[in-house]
Tab-separated table of all heavy atoms in Angstrom:
chain	number	residue	atom	x	y	z
A	1	MET	N	28.163	12.477	3.195
A	1	MET	CA	28.022	11.192	2.536
A	1	MET	C	27.247	10.241	3.433
A	1	MET	O	27.327	10.301	4.638
A	1	MET	CB	29.402	10.590	2.251
A	1	MET	CG	30.214	11.309	1.192
A	1	MET	SD	29.457	11.316	-0.439
A	1	MET	CE	29.508	9.600	-0.863
A	2	SER	N	26.557	9.351	2.815
A	2	SER	CA	25.839	8.323	3.547
A	2	SER	C	26.050	6.997	2.831
A	2	SER	O	26.679	6.932	1.783
A	2	SER	CB	24.351	8.653	3.615
A	2	SER	OG	23.742	8.388	2.359
A	3	THR	N	25.506	5.974	3.410
A	3	THR	CA	25.575	4.664	2.779
A	3	THR	C	24.317	4.388	1.964
A	3	THR	O	24.029	3.239	1.636
A	3	THR	CB	25.767	3.568	3.845
A	3	THR	OG1	24.697	3.661	4.774
A	3	THR	CG2	27.095	3.706	4.547
A	4	ALA	N	23.599	5.430	1.618
A	4	ALA	CA	22.358	5.258	0.871
A	4	ALA	C	22.594	4.579	-0.470
A	4	ALA	O	21.762	3.779	-0.916
A	4	ALA	CB	21.661	6.605	0.678
A	5	SER	N	23.721	4.841	-1.121
A	5	SER	CA	23.981	4.212	-2.412
A	5	SER	C	24.159	2.706	-2.271
A	5	SER	O	23.769	1.944	-3.151
A	5	SER	CB	25.197	4.843	-3.091
A	5	SER	OG	26.340	4.709	-2.269
A	6	ILE	N	24.722	2.256	-1.165
A	6	ILE	CA	24.866	0.821	-0.919
A	6	ILE	C	23.488	0.199	-0.719
A	6	ILE	O	23.177	-0.859	-1.281
A	6	ILE	CB	25.761	0.560	0.307
A	6	ILE	CG1	27.168	1.068	0.030
A	6	ILE	CG2	25.761	-0.909	0.686
A	6	ILE	CD1	28.051	1.133	1.262
A	7	THR	N	22.664	0.847	0.069
A	7	THR	CA	21.302	0.361	0.302
A	7	THR	C	20.530	0.301	-1.004
A	7	THR	O	19.827	-0.677	-1.284
A	7	THR	CB	20.576	1.268	1.310
A	7	THR	OG1	21.344	1.316	2.510
A	7	THR	CG2	19.180	0.780	1.600
A	8	GLU	N	20.678	1.320	-1.817
A	8	GLU	CA	20.004	1.365	-3.115
A	8	GLU	C	20.463	0.209	-3.999
A	8	GLU	O	19.653	-0.448	-4.657
A	8	GLU	CB	20.279	2.707	-3.793
A	8	GLU	CG	19.568	2.874	-5.108
A	8	GLU	CD	19.830	4.238	-5.725
A	8	GLU	OE1	20.906	4.816	-5.507
A	8	GLU	OE2	18.932	4.699	-6.439
A	9	ALA	N	21.766	-0.078	-4.010
A	9	ALA	CA	22.298	-1.172	-4.822
A	9	ALA	C	21.767	-2.523	-4.361
A	9	ALA	O	21.428	-3.383	-5.185
A	9	ALA	CB	23.831	-1.158	-4.778
A	10	VAL	N	21.689	-2.727	-3.060
A	10	VAL	CA	21.170	-3.995	-2.530
A	10	VAL	C	19.703	-4.165	-2.909
A	10	VAL	O	19.282	-5.238	-3.353
A	10	VAL	CB	21.358	-4.074	-1.000
A	10	VAL	CG1	20.610	-5.259	-0.414
A	10	VAL	CG2	22.834	-4.158	-0.656
A	11	LEU	N	18.907	-3.122	-2.750
A	11	LEU	CA	17.493	-3.206	-3.103
A	11	LEU	C	17.321	-3.495	-4.598
A	11	LEU	O	16.463	-4.289	-4.985
A	11	LEU	CB	16.763	-1.918	-2.719
A	11	LEU	CG	16.605	-1.681	-1.212
A	11	LEU	CD1	16.052	-0.287	-0.958
A	11	LEU	CD2	15.726	-2.737	-0.582
A	12	ALA	N	18.146	-2.872	-5.426
A	12	ALA	CA	18.085	-3.119	-6.868
A	12	ALA	C	18.481	-4.558	-7.189
A	12	ALA	O	17.827	-5.222	-8.002
A	12	ALA	CB	18.998	-2.135	-7.606
A	13	GLU	N	19.531	-5.052	-6.563
A	13	GLU	CA	19.986	-6.429	-6.794
A	13	GLU	C	18.912	-7.442	-6.385
A	13	GLU	O	18.729	-8.459	-7.046
A	13	GLU	CB	21.269	-6.685	-6.000
A	13	GLU	CG	21.866	-8.057	-6.218
A	13	GLU	CD	22.450	-8.271	-7.602
A	13	GLU	OE1	22.814	-7.286	-8.273
A	13	GLU	OE2	22.542	-9.441	-8.025
A	14	LEU	N	18.213	-7.157	-5.309
A	14	LEU	CA	17.149	-8.044	-4.838
A	14	LEU	C	15.855	-7.886	-5.640
A	14	LEU	O	14.935	-8.686	-5.493
A	14	LEU	CB	16.854	-7.779	-3.360
A	14	LEU	CG	17.979	-8.116	-2.386
A	14	LEU	CD1	17.623	-7.633	-0.995
A	14	LEU	CD2	18.253	-9.614	-2.390
A	15	GLY	N	15.791	-6.834	-6.456
A	15	GLY	CA	14.578	-6.568	-7.219
A	15	GLY	C	13.441	-6.081	-6.343
A	15	GLY	O	12.268	-6.271	-6.653
A	16	THR	N	13.799	-5.450	-5.236
A	16	THR	CA	12.810	-4.972	-4.282
A	16	THR	C	12.309	-3.589	-4.693
A	16	THR	O	13.092	-2.646	-4.764
A	16	THR	CB	13.429	-4.888	-2.873
A	16	THR	OG1	13.948	-6.166	-2.537
A	16	THR	CG2	12.411	-4.456	-1.852
A	17	PRO	N	11.012	-3.460	-4.975
A	17	PRO	CA	10.496	-2.136	-5.313
A	17	PRO	C	10.557	-1.221	-4.091
A	17	PRO	O	10.376	-1.671	-2.955
A	17	PRO	CB	9.049	-2.397	-5.733
A	17	PRO	CG	8.700	-3.696	-5.109
A	17	PRO	CD	9.977	-4.481	-4.951
A	18	CYS	N	10.852	0.029	-4.334
A	18	CYS	CA	10.926	0.976	-3.222
A	18	CYS	C	10.639	2.380	-3.718
A	18	CYS	O	10.742	2.671	-4.902
A	18	CYS	CB	12.301	0.923	-2.563
A	18	CYS	SG	13.649	1.421	-3.638
A	19	ASP	N	10.254	3.213	-2.786
A	19	ASP	CA	10.086	4.640	-3.066
A	19	ASP	C	11.328	5.336	-2.542
A	19	ASP	O	11.713	5.132	-1.390
A	19	ASP	CB	8.858	5.207	-2.347
A	19	ASP	CG	7.564	4.606	-2.864
A	19	ASP	OD1	7.477	4.351	-4.084
A	19	ASP	OD2	6.654	4.396	-2.057
A	20	ARG	N	11.955	6.149	-3.365
A	20	ARG	CA	13.150	6.879	-2.956
A	20	ARG	C	12.780	8.332	-2.708
A	20	ARG	O	12.022	8.936	-3.454
A	20	ARG	CB	14.206	6.816	-4.053
A	20	ARG	CG	14.637	5.421	-4.328
A	20	ARG	CD	15.603	5.384	-5.475
A	20	ARG	NE	15.661	4.010	-5.960
A	20	ARG	CZ	16.048	3.670	-7.136
A	20	ARG	NH1	16.430	4.591	-7.995
A	20	ARG	NH2	16.070	2.412	-7.486
A	21	VAL	N	13.321	8.867	-1.649
A	21	VAL	CA	13.078	10.258	-1.302
A	21	VAL	C	14.433	10.948	-1.239
A	21	VAL	O	15.294	10.557	-0.454
A	21	VAL	CB	12.347	10.375	0.056
A	21	VAL	CG1	12.155	11.836	0.422
A	21	VAL	CG2	11.026	9.635	0.013
A	22	LYS	N	14.616	11.952	-2.078
A	22	LYS	CA	15.875	12.687	-2.085
A	22	LYS	C	15.838	13.742	-0.980
A	22	LYS	O	14.877	14.501	-0.862
A	22	LYS	CB	16.108	13.342	-3.441
A	22	LYS	CG	17.478	13.934	-3.583
A	22	LYS	CD	17.746	14.353	-5.010
A	22	LYS	CE	19.166	14.843	-5.102
A	22	LYS	NZ	19.592	14.984	-6.479
A	23	LEU	N	16.886	13.759	-0.173
A	23	LEU	CA	16.978	14.703	0.939
A	23	LEU	C	18.203	15.582	0.770
A	23	LEU	O	19.233	15.129	0.281
A	23	LEU	CB	17.096	13.954	2.267
A	23	LEU	CG	15.962	13.008	2.608
A	23	LEU	CD1	16.328	12.169	3.818
A	23	LEU	CD2	14.691	13.779	2.857
A	24	ASP	N	18.097	16.812	1.204
A	24	ASP	CA	19.238	17.721	1.236
A	24	ASP	C	19.713	17.791	2.686
A	24	ASP	O	19.145	18.518	3.505
A	24	ASP	CB	18.839	19.094	0.711
A	24	ASP	CG	20.015	20.045	0.584
A	24	ASP	OD1	21.107	19.765	1.144
A	24	ASP	OD2	19.849	21.094	-0.068
A	25	ILE	N	20.726	16.997	2.992
A	25	ILE	CA	21.221	16.922	4.365
A	25	ILE	C	21.720	18.275	4.843
A	25	ILE	O	21.463	18.674	5.979
A	25	ILE	CB	22.320	15.838	4.479
A	25	ILE	CG1	21.715	14.471	4.185
A	25	ILE	CG2	22.968	15.851	5.858
A	25	ILE	CD1	22.726	13.357	4.044
A	26	SER	N	22.414	18.999	3.970
A	26	SER	CA	22.962	20.299	4.375
A	26	SER	C	21.872	21.328	4.655
A	26	SER	O	22.088	22.278	5.401
A	26	SER	CB	23.938	20.823	3.317
A	26	SER	OG	23.272	21.050	2.095
A	27	ALA	N	20.683	21.124	4.081
A	27	ALA	CA	19.561	22.039	4.335
A	27	ALA	C	18.754	21.614	5.565
A	27	ALA	O	17.787	22.270	5.924
A	27	ALA	CB	18.646	22.102	3.117
A	28	GLY	N	19.152	20.503	6.190
A	28	GLY	CA	18.484	20.059	7.399
A	28	GLY	C	17.281	19.163	7.174
A	28	GLY	O	16.471	18.982	8.087
A	29	ASP	N	17.160	18.580	5.978
A	29	ASP	CA	16.006	17.731	5.693
A	29	ASP	C	15.907	16.535	6.638
A	29	ASP	O	14.812	16.054	6.909
A	29	ASP	CB	16.045	17.223	4.252
A	29	ASP	CG	15.735	18.309	3.238
A	29	ASP	OD1	15.337	19.426	3.655
A	29	ASP	OD2	15.889	18.053	2.033
A	30	THR	N	17.035	16.045	7.143
A	30	THR	CA	17.004	14.883	8.039
A	30	THR	C	16.656	15.263	9.474
A	30	THR	O	16.580	14.402	10.344
A	30	THR	CB	18.343	14.135	8.024
A	30	THR	OG1	19.383	15.020	8.434
A	30	THR	CG2	18.646	13.577	6.648
A	31	ARG	N	16.452	16.542	9.721
A	31	ARG	CA	16.058	17.011	11.061
A	31	ARG	C	14.633	17.533	11.100
A	31	ARG	O	14.168	18.006	12.120
A	31	ARG	CB	17.020	18.117	11.539
A	31	ARG	CG	18.421	17.641	11.707
A	31	ARG	CD	18.476	16.697	12.862
A	31	ARG	NE	19.797	16.096	12.981
A	31	ARG	CZ	20.036	15.027	13.686
A	31	ARG	NH1	19.067	14.426	14.323
A	31	ARG	NH2	21.230	14.525	13.750
A	32	LYS	N	13.940	17.408	9.978
A	32	LYS	CA	12.551	17.858	9.915
A	32	LYS	C	11.635	16.800	10.520
A	32	LYS	O	11.926	15.605	10.471
A	32	LYS	CB	12.161	18.147	8.464
A	32	LYS	CG	12.903	19.344	7.897
A	32	LYS	CD	12.495	19.639	6.490
A	32	LYS	CE	13.263	20.873	5.990
A	32	LYS	NZ	12.939	21.163	4.595
A	33	PRO	N	10.531	17.232	11.122
A	33	PRO	CA	9.630	16.301	11.810
A	33	PRO	C	9.172	15.107	10.961
A	33	PRO	O	9.090	13.998	11.470
A	33	PRO	CB	8.443	17.172	12.209
A	33	PRO	CG	9.018	18.554	12.321
A	33	PRO	CD	10.082	18.628	11.261
A	34	ASP	N	8.894	15.328	9.677
A	34	ASP	CA	8.440	14.218	8.833
A	34	ASP	C	9.502	13.129	8.716
A	34	ASP	O	9.182	11.944	8.742
A	34	ASP	CB	8.057	14.711	7.435
A	34	ASP	CG	6.740	15.465	7.435
A	34	ASP	OD1	5.973	15.332	8.416
A	34	ASP	OD2	6.485	16.183	6.454
A	35	PHE	N	10.774	13.523	8.565
A	35	PHE	CA	11.835	12.527	8.475
A	35	PHE	C	12.095	11.882	9.826
A	35	PHE	O	12.337	10.676	9.912
A	35	PHE	CB	13.135	13.128	7.931
A	35	PHE	CG	14.198	12.081	7.748
A	35	PHE	CD1	14.180	11.241	6.657
A	35	PHE	CD2	15.191	11.916	8.689
A	35	PHE	CE1	15.137	10.249	6.499
A	35	PHE	CE2	16.163	10.933	8.541
A	35	PHE	CZ	16.138	10.098	7.442
A	36	LEU	N	12.044	12.653	10.888
A	36	LEU	CA	12.299	12.117	12.222
A	36	LEU	C	11.245	11.094	12.644
A	36	LEU	O	11.509	10.246	13.497
A	36	LEU	CB	12.413	13.245	13.240
A	36	LEU	CG	13.639	14.148	13.061
A	36	LEU	CD1	13.564	15.324	14.027
A	36	LEU	CD2	14.931	13.370	13.233
A	37	LYS	N	10.069	11.119	12.016
A	37	LYS	CA	9.069	10.086	12.266
A	37	LYS	C	9.543	8.739	11.712
A	37	LYS	O	9.249	7.697	12.271
A	37	LYS	CB	7.735	10.464	11.627
A	37	LYS	CG	7.014	11.583	12.332
A	37	LYS	CD	5.737	11.916	11.594
A	37	LYS	CE	5.094	13.152	12.186
A	37	LYS	NZ	3.909	13.556	11.404
A	38	VAL	N	10.264	8.778	10.600
A	38	VAL	CA	10.806	7.557	9.993
A	38	VAL	C	12.049	7.109	10.733
A	38	VAL	O	12.236	5.938	11.014
A	38	VAL	CB	11.124	7.787	8.498
A	38	VAL	CG1	11.806	6.574	7.897
A	38	VAL	CG2	9.858	8.131	7.740
A	39	ASN	N	12.934	8.055	11.046
A	39	ASN	CA	14.169	7.725	11.756
A	39	ASN	C	14.461	8.794	12.799
A	39	ASN	O	15.002	9.849	12.474
A	39	ASN	CB	15.335	7.601	10.786
A	39	ASN	CG	16.602	7.175	11.481
A	39	ASN	OD1	16.642	7.042	12.694
A	39	ASN	ND2	17.641	6.957	10.698
A	40	PRO	N	14.141	8.534	14.046
A	40	PRO	CA	14.361	9.516	15.112
A	40	PRO	C	15.828	9.907	15.289
A	40	PRO	O	16.110	10.949	15.861
A	40	PRO	CB	13.845	8.810	16.363
A	40	PRO	CG	12.918	7.763	15.865
A	40	PRO	CD	13.454	7.347	14.526
A	41	ASN	N	16.756	9.101	14.756
A	41	ASN	CA	18.177	9.443	14.830
A	41	ASN	C	18.574	10.476	13.784
A	41	ASN	O	19.672	11.013	13.832
A	41	ASN	CB	19.048	8.198	14.654
A	41	ASN	CG	18.886	7.239	15.803
A	41	ASN	OD1	18.721	7.654	16.944
A	41	ASN	ND2	18.905	5.955	15.504
A	42	GLY	N	17.706	10.739	12.818
A	42	GLY	CA	17.990	11.731	11.786
A	42	GLY	C	19.113	11.324	10.856
A	42	GLY	O	19.845	12.175	10.367
A	43	ARG	N	19.243	10.028	10.598
A	43	ARG	CA	20.336	9.539	9.753
A	43	ARG	C	19.785	8.826	8.529
A	43	ARG	O	18.687	8.303	8.541
A	43	ARG	CB	21.204	8.574	10.552
A	43	ARG	CG	21.851	9.275	11.750
A	43	ARG	CD	22.729	8.363	12.499
A	43	ARG	NE	23.799	7.922	11.603
A	43	ARG	CZ	24.794	7.153	11.983
A	43	ARG	NH1	24.872	6.746	13.230
A	43	ARG	NH2	25.723	6.788	11.131
A	44	VAL	N	20.571	8.823	7.478
A	44	VAL	CA	20.221	8.093	6.257
A	44	VAL	C	21.257	7.008	6.023
A	44	VAL	O	22.399	7.160	6.462
A	44	VAL	CB	20.143	9.029	5.025
A	44	VAL	CG1	18.972	9.958	5.127
A	44	VAL	CG2	21.423	9.792	4.818
A	45	PRO	N	20.919	5.919	5.384
A	45	PRO	CA	19.582	5.617	4.871
A	45	PRO	C	18.639	5.194	5.974
A	45	PRO	O	19.071	4.709	7.013
A	45	PRO	CB	19.837	4.458	3.907
A	45	PRO	CG	21.038	3.770	4.455
A	45	PRO	CD	21.885	4.859	5.074
A	46	ALA	N	17.384	5.388	5.721
A	46	ALA	CA	16.335	4.931	6.621
A	46	ALA	C	15.348	4.136	5.781
A	46	ALA	O	15.021	4.528	4.666
A	46	ALA	CB	15.637	6.108	7.278
A	47	ILE	N	14.915	3.021	6.303
A	47	ILE	CA	14.001	2.159	5.565
A	47	ILE	C	12.753	1.944	6.411
A	47	ILE	O	12.847	1.546	7.561
A	47	ILE	CB	14.652	0.796	5.254
A	47	ILE	CG1	15.889	0.991	4.371
A	47	ILE	CG2	13.650	-0.142	4.596
A	47	ILE	CD1	16.685	-0.271	4.172
A	48	ALA	N	11.613	2.226	5.823
A	48	ALA	CA	10.337	1.916	6.476
A	48	ALA	C	9.756	0.731	5.729
A	48	ALA	O	9.502	0.800	4.527
A	48	ALA	CB	9.400	3.112	6.405
A	49	TYR	N	9.586	-0.382	6.425
A	49	TYR	CA	9.081	-1.594	5.805
A	49	TYR	C	7.883	-2.083	6.592
A	49	TYR	O	8.009	-2.448	7.762
A	49	TYR	CB	10.171	-2.677	5.782
A	49	TYR	CG	9.719	-3.974	5.189
A	49	TYR	CD1	9.551	-4.094	3.814
A	49	TYR	CD2	9.445	-5.059	5.986
A	49	TYR	CE1	9.119	-5.272	3.257
A	49	TYR	CE2	9.013	-6.252	5.437
A	49	TYR	CZ	8.855	-6.348	4.066
A	49	TYR	OH	8.427	-7.523	3.515
A	50	ARG	N	6.729	-2.036	5.962
A	50	ARG	CA	5.481	-2.460	6.600
A	50	ARG	C	5.297	-1.818	7.964
A	50	ARG	O	4.979	-2.464	8.951
A	50	ARG	CB	5.427	-3.974	6.710
A	50	ARG	CG	5.338	-4.647	5.372
A	50	ARG	CD	5.158	-6.117	5.520
A	50	ARG	NE	5.120	-6.728	4.198
A	50	ARG	CZ	5.023	-8.013	3.996
A	50	ARG	NH1	4.966	-8.829	5.020
A	50	ARG	NH2	4.993	-8.489	2.794
A	51	GLY	N	5.608	-0.539	8.026
A	51	GLY	CA	5.392	0.216	9.250
A	51	GLY	C	6.533	0.169	10.242
A	51	GLY	O	6.529	0.890	11.217
A	52	ALA	N	7.534	-0.681	10.004
A	52	ALA	CA	8.690	-0.757	10.908
A	52	ALA	C	9.843	0.008	10.281
A	52	ALA	O	10.095	-0.107	9.088
A	52	ALA	CB	9.092	-2.208	11.142
A	53	GLN	N	10.527	0.822	11.076
A	53	GLN	CA	11.647	1.598	10.560
A	53	GLN	C	12.963	0.910	10.889
A	53	GLN	O	13.124	0.348	11.958
A	53	GLN	CB	11.657	3.010	11.137
A	53	GLN	CG	10.538	3.877	10.634
A	53	GLN	CD	9.231	3.630	11.324
A	53	GLN	OE1	9.191	3.337	12.500
A	53	GLN	NE2	8.146	3.734	10.594
A	54	ARG	N	13.930	1.007	9.954
A	54	ARG	CA	15.249	0.432	10.179
A	54	ARG	C	16.293	1.422	9.683
A	54	ARG	O	16.109	2.078	8.681
A	54	ARG	CB	15.440	-0.867	9.368
A	54	ARG	CG	14.498	-1.974	9.719
A	54	ARG	CD	14.720	-2.498	11.121
A	54	ARG	NE	15.986	-3.152	11.281
A	54	ARG	CZ	16.192	-4.442	11.167
A	54	ARG	NH1	15.200	-5.239	10.873
A	54	ARG	NH2	17.377	-4.944	11.361
A	55	ASP	N	17.376	1.520	10.391
A	55	ASP	CA	18.526	2.265	9.903
A	55	ASP	C	19.766	1.580	10.440
A	55	ASP	O	19.702	0.811	11.381
A	55	ASP	CB	18.485	3.744	10.317
A	55	ASP	CG	18.762	3.930	11.777
A	55	ASP	OD1	17.818	3.852	12.575
A	55	ASP	OD2	19.935	4.158	12.112
A	56	ARG	N	20.901	1.833	9.846
A	56	ARG	CA	22.121	1.130	10.236
A	56	ARG	C	22.501	1.404	11.679
A	56	ARG	O	23.124	0.581	12.320
A	56	ARG	CB	23.267	1.505	9.309
A	56	ARG	CG	23.081	0.904	7.929
A	56	ARG	CD	24.279	1.070	7.070
A	56	ARG	NE	25.349	0.261	7.628
A	56	ARG	CZ	26.621	0.530	7.478
A	56	ARG	NH1	26.987	1.587	6.805
A	56	ARG	NH2	27.545	-0.245	7.981
A	57	SER	N	22.137	2.549	12.225
A	57	SER	CA	22.534	2.861	13.595
A	57	SER	C	21.785	2.013	14.614
A	57	SER	O	22.212	1.914	15.754
A	57	SER	CB	22.317	4.348	13.893
A	57	SER	OG	20.946	4.651	13.850
A	58	THR	N	20.674	1.372	14.216
A	58	THR	CA	19.947	0.521	15.149
A	58	THR	C	20.383	-0.937	15.051
A	58	THR	O	19.947	-1.763	15.821
A	58	THR	CB	18.420	0.603	14.920
A	58	THR	OG1	18.126	0.145	13.610
A	58	THR	CG2	17.908	2.004	15.132
A	59	GLU	N	21.245	-1.241	14.094
A	59	GLU	CA	21.737	-2.601	13.942
A	59	GLU	C	22.836	-2.872	14.948
A	59	GLU	O	23.500	-1.968	15.430
A	59	GLU	CB	22.290	-2.810	12.519
A	59	GLU	CG	21.254	-2.647	11.438
A	59	GLU	CD	20.197	-3.732	11.462
A	59	GLU	OE1	20.525	-4.874	11.822
A	59	GLU	OE2	19.051	-3.433	11.127
A	60	SER	N	23.056	-4.128	15.239
A	60	SER	CA	24.116	-4.496	16.181
A	60	SER	C	25.479	-4.252	15.548
A	60	SER	O	25.636	-4.324	14.339
A	60	SER	CB	23.980	-5.962	16.584
A	60	SER	OG	24.129	-6.788	15.448
A	61	LYS	N	26.445	-3.963	16.370
A	61	LYS	CA	27.807	-3.748	15.887
A	61	LYS	C	28.458	-5.093	15.653
A	61	LYS	O	28.300	-6.029	16.424
A	61	LYS	CB	28.636	-2.955	16.911
A	61	LYS	CG	28.042	-1.607	17.240
A	61	LYS	CD	28.073	-0.688	16.054
A	61	LYS	CE	27.499	0.661	16.424
A	61	LYS	NZ	27.131	1.438	15.299
A	62	GLY	N	29.226	-5.200	14.576
A	62	GLY	CA	29.915	-6.446	14.269
A	62	GLY	C	28.969	-7.462	13.663
A	62	GLY	O	27.762	-7.328	13.675
A	63	GLY	N	29.530	-8.505	13.098
A	63	GLY	CA	28.719	-9.543	12.486
A	63	GLY	C	28.046	-9.038	11.232
A	63	GLY	O	28.272	-7.930	10.783
A	64	SER	N	27.209	-9.862	10.664
A	64	SER	CA	26.550	-9.463	9.434
A	64	SER	C	25.302	-8.658	9.755
A	64	SER	O	24.674	-8.825	10.791
A	64	SER	CB	26.178	-10.703	8.615
A	64	SER	OG	25.254	-11.489	9.333
A	65	ARG	N	24.952	-7.799	8.843
A	65	ARG	CA	23.733	-7.002	8.971
A	65	ARG	C	22.767	-7.505	7.920
A	65	ARG	O	23.120	-7.660	6.766
A	65	ARG	CB	24.033	-5.523	8.753
A	65	ARG	CG	24.879	-4.951	9.856
A	65	ARG	CD	25.013	-3.449	9.646
A	65	ARG	NE	25.660	-2.889	10.770
A	65	ARG	CZ	26.912	-2.424	10.757
A	65	ARG	NH1	27.616	-2.467	9.663
A	65	ARG	NH2	27.447	-1.921	11.831
A	66	ARG	N	21.551	-7.721	8.321
A	66	ARG	CA	20.593	-8.303	7.391
A	66	ARG	C	19.227	-7.706	7.640
A	66	ARG	O	18.790	-7.573	8.772
A	66	ARG	CB	20.562	-9.800	7.614
A	66	ARG	CG	19.758	-10.536	6.610
A	66	ARG	CD	19.929	-11.998	6.883
A	66	ARG	NE	19.448	-12.736	5.758
A	66	ARG	CZ	19.486	-14.027	5.659
A	66	ARG	NH1	20.020	-14.733	6.623
A	66	ARG	NH2	19.012	-14.629	4.628
A	67	LEU	N	18.549	-7.367	6.569
A	67	LEU	CA	17.165	-6.904	6.650
A	67	LEU	C	16.356	-7.879	5.810
A	67	LEU	O	16.543	-7.973	4.613
A	67	LEU	CB	17.019	-5.482	6.101
A	67	LEU	CG	15.605	-4.926	6.057
A	67	LEU	CD1	15.056	-4.833	7.477
A	67	LEU	CD2	15.578	-3.570	5.402
A	68	SER	N	15.534	-8.649	6.445
A	68	SER	CA	14.726	-9.624	5.730
A	68	SER	C	13.254	-9.341	5.963
A	68	SER	O	12.889	-8.537	6.817
A	68	SER	CB	15.062	-11.045	6.190
A	68	SER	OG	14.611	-11.232	7.516
A	69	GLN	N	12.424	-10.032	5.242
A	69	GLN	CA	10.992	-9.841	5.409
A	69	GLN	C	10.533	-10.315	6.772
A	69	GLN	O	9.481	-9.923	7.237
A	69	GLN	CB	10.239	-10.579	4.319
A	69	GLN	CG	10.438	-9.960	2.959
A	69	GLN	CD	9.634	-10.648	1.888
A	69	GLN	OE1	8.973	-11.638	2.135
A	69	GLN	NE2	9.684	-10.133	0.677
A	70	ASN	N	11.318	-11.136	7.421
A	70	ASN	CA	10.942	-11.649	8.734
A	70	ASN	C	11.385	-10.777	9.873
A	70	ASN	O	11.061	-11.025	11.013
A	70	ASN	CB	11.522	-13.058	8.943
A	70	ASN	CG	10.969	-14.020	7.934
A	70	ASN	OD1	9.812	-13.931	7.548
A	70	ASN	ND2	11.791	-14.939	7.472
A	71	SER	N	12.225	-9.734	9.609
A	71	SER	CA	12.726	-8.910	10.714
A	71	SER	C	11.827	-7.766	11.029
A	71	SER	O	10.920	-7.440	10.389
A	71	SER	CB	14.124	-8.396	10.423
A	71	SER	OG	14.198	-7.773	9.183
């Protein structure tokens, strides 16, 4: 399980267009070189926004988590 459904819900609520890529975690899709370019930690969800990658594991612990156009 991942928190991808939460990320998807937030993007939908914000009306943010996005490309979704379905991965088979059990088949090792998150360990393939193409995915590791987006998220070297090999975790989902991963968001690439204007060339910058974000995933929950790179966020600070505690407090609110926010991804804005300015980050």
Side-chain angles (χ1 to χ4, degrees):
M1 291 298 294
S2 76
T3 57
S5 59
I6 296 168
T7 303
E8 183 178 30
V10 170
L11 291 172
E13 183 69 24
L14 294 172
T16 304
C18 63
D19 295 324
R20 298 176 197 158
V21 178
K22 189 170 184 167
L23 301 170
D24 186 346
I25 296 171
S26 63
D29 288 352
T30 59
R31 297 291 174 197
K32 293 181 179 177
D34 286 343
F35 184 79
L36 293 174
K37 288 178 187 175
V38 175
N39 184 356
N41 293 324
R43 298 182 61 176
V44 291
I47 298 172
Y49 179 74
R50 293 185 182 177
Q53 290 80 35
R54 298 294 294 266
D55 72 273
R56 289 189 67 207
S57 65
T58 62
E59 298 293 327
S60 62
K61 301 294 181 197
S64 63
R65 292 186 173 108
R66 188 175 194 178
L67 176 63
S68 69
Q69 291 183 356
N70 298 324
S71 52

